[in-house]
Structures are given as structure tokens and as C-alpha cells.
Amino acid sequence: EPEVTQTPSHQVTQMGQEVILRCVPISNHLYFYWYRQILGQKVEFLVSFYNNEISEKSEIFDDQFSVERPDGSNFTLKIRSTKLEDSAMYFCASSERLRKRGELFFGEGSRLTVL
Amino acid sequence: AQSVAQPEDQVNVAEGNPLTVKCTYSVSGNPYLFWYVQYPNRGLQFLLKYITGDNLVKGSYGFEAEFNKSQTSFHLKKPSALVSDSALYFCAVREGGSQGNLIFGKGTKLSVKP
């Protein structure tokens, strides 16, 4: 069964450092998303991406965050200068084109720990 | 604005008993409703969805959910709980016709004891 894959599974970084989280969505999907889950809290939407541009973003997704799809397969989330409060599990998700009513398929997540 | 409420932080059930995990929602248009499950140290797995049609939807692992428009609810149910059902359950809503962003509830921890 096709799946969304994410790397790394866990990253520890120092405050102020740049972090890039990588995702490989399901191959025939064209809508991509990043969500995050701070430990013990709800899953929060960060950003959605379609046709090589951001289609929607939350207030969490400030200028420190960016996304891109550099090579047609990877979908990356970059945090330019990490803060302690960026420590969370980051989930990538994708969904099929034209099936806006379809479910999102999530990766296993990348746990980011900022020290 | 869209929102989802899961009023219970934790639900405890004995194995073999029926279980219900509650969810209520708020959207301005027609809701698309979803349930996801998260096992420890794992990602979110899709369980079931309501888009249109029959108010009772069936999903993976024997779970079902009932859409109730008048009560704006979408409770998750299973007739007979298994210990392996113990996990974190998230209800999510998407406003019909939107790009696809899901709004999640805070999650309910289900604990099934033998």
C-alpha cells in the first residue's frame, strides 16, 4: 500500500539553528500538507501546498517557516531559526487531486526537539 | 470558523463492551467529517469519513460513526472493544468545498482493559 514517508524520524537541534524536514508524498497525490503536534496537545494545521504554491497557511506558519517541492517528489518544511516552542511532532500529509472530499494520508511524523 | 470538540480527554472501556468516543463540530457549510487513530509513536491513520449519504458510516477495524446534523455530532462507536483498540483518536472536520485543510479535535485517549 502506498504511504507517505518522512525523514528524519527524530532531530535534535540547538535553538537558532535551521532545520529541514523532508517528506515523500504518495506519488499520484497533488495536495500536500504539514501539521504539527506539540506533546500532549492537538494536531495543528500549518500549511497546504498545491501546484507549487502555498494554498493556505495558519497563523503558526510565520516567516520562520517555508515549504517547497524542489524535485517533484520531496516536499520539505524548513524552519529558519528554531525556537524552543517549535519542539513538536511534525506530520506531512497528502491527498489525491480532484478528491477534495478524500481523506489525508499522513506520514509517521518527524519529532523535532529544540534545546 | 471551523472547530471540533472532543469533550473527553480519556475513555475507559472493558474489553468486549461497546465504546463511544464523542465529537461535535462547527462549520459554516456542509461538513466533511473524519476520524483518525494514532498509536503510540506512530502517525495518524484514517479510520472513516462522512461526506454525504447514509448517516451511519463504517470504517476500518470494525469502527463506525453516526453523523447527526441536528446535534452537530459525529461520535465514533464500536460494538465490542478490543485491547488493541487502545490509542489516541482524533475527530477532524473540513468545510465542504474547501481546499482540504482539516481541523482536528484535541484527541481522546481510549483505554481498553482486559
Side-chain angles (χ1 to χ4, degrees), chain A residues 32-44:
Chain A
F32 312 115
Y33 310 83
W34 282 102
Y35 285 77
R36 78 172 185 190
Q37 184 183 29
I38 295 172
L39 187 63
Q41 298 187 26
K42 64 195 288 185
V43 177
E44 300 173 295

Side-chain angles (χ1 to χ4, degrees), chain B residues 9-80:
Chain B
D9 290 334
Q10 181 154 344
V11 170
N12 298 311
V13 177
E15 188 174 31
N17 283 359
L19 70 87
T20 299
V21 182
K22 295 179 181 177
C23 172
T24 58
Y25 66 89
S26 174
V27 296
S28 56
N30 292 322
Y32 297 161
L33 295 154
F34 302 79
W35 276 101
Y36 283 82
V37 60
Q38 185 181 31
Y39 296 101
N41 301 312
R42 303 295 299 277
L44 296 159
Q45 294 181 34
F46 170 76
L47 273 182
L48 51 79
K49 66 183 177 185
Y50 170 82
I51 303 299
T52 187
D54 196 349
N55 288 344
L56 184 65
V57 293
K58 295 186 184 297
S60 307
Y61 313 121
F63 283 92
E64 59 189 30
E66 186 166 12
F67 171 63
N68 187 319
K69 188 173 183 178
S70 63
Q71 296 184 6
T72 61
S73 67
F74 189 57
H75 301 330
L76 181 71
K77 300 181 181 183
K78 186 172 181 180
S80 179

Side-chain angles (χ1 to χ4, degrees), chain A:
Chain A
E1 185 176 325
E3 59 181 19
V4 176
T5 57
Q6 291 185 240
T7 55
S9 57
H10 188 194
Q11 182 157 354
V12 181
T13 190
Q14 295 292 322
M15 190 170 57
Q17 295 295 306
E18 176 182 283
V19 161
I20 297 176
L21 305 178
R22 292 181 169 79
C23 170
V24 179
I26 295 173
S27 61
N28 64 335
H29 288 188
L30 292 179
Y31 291 91
F32 312 115
Y33 310 83
W34 282 102
Y35 285 77
R36 78 172 185 190
Q37 184 183 29
I38 295 172
L39 187 63
Q41 298 187 26
K42 64 195 288 185
V43 177
E44 300 173 295
F45 168 73
L46 290 178
V47 65
S48 59
F49 190 87
Y50 170 69
N51 199 25
N52 286 320
E53 61 183 21
I54 291 173
S55 50
E56 192 174 355
K57 61 182 180 180
S58 73
E59 59 193 24
I60 301 169
F61 193 86
D62 61 21
D63 292 344
Q64 293 299 313
F65 291 88
S66 62
V67 289
E68 63 176 3
R69 196 149 186 259
D71 57 11
S73 63
N74 290 288
F75 178 52
T76 62
L77 174 69
K78 182 191 289 186
I79 309 175
R80 258 179 277 281
S81 178
T82 50
K83 303 186 286 288
L84 295 176
E85 54 265 38
D86 293 328
S87 294
M89 182 74 90
Y90 289 81
F91 292 106
C92 174
S94 67
S95 64
E96 289 183 68
R97 181 189 181 190
L98 299 182
R99 286 189 61 195
K100 294 181 182 179
R101 303 185 298 177
E103 64 270 26
L104 273 60
F105 291 82
F106 285 84
E108 297 278 301
S110 293
R111 181 172 297 282
L112 175 64
T113 302
V114 182
L115 303 176

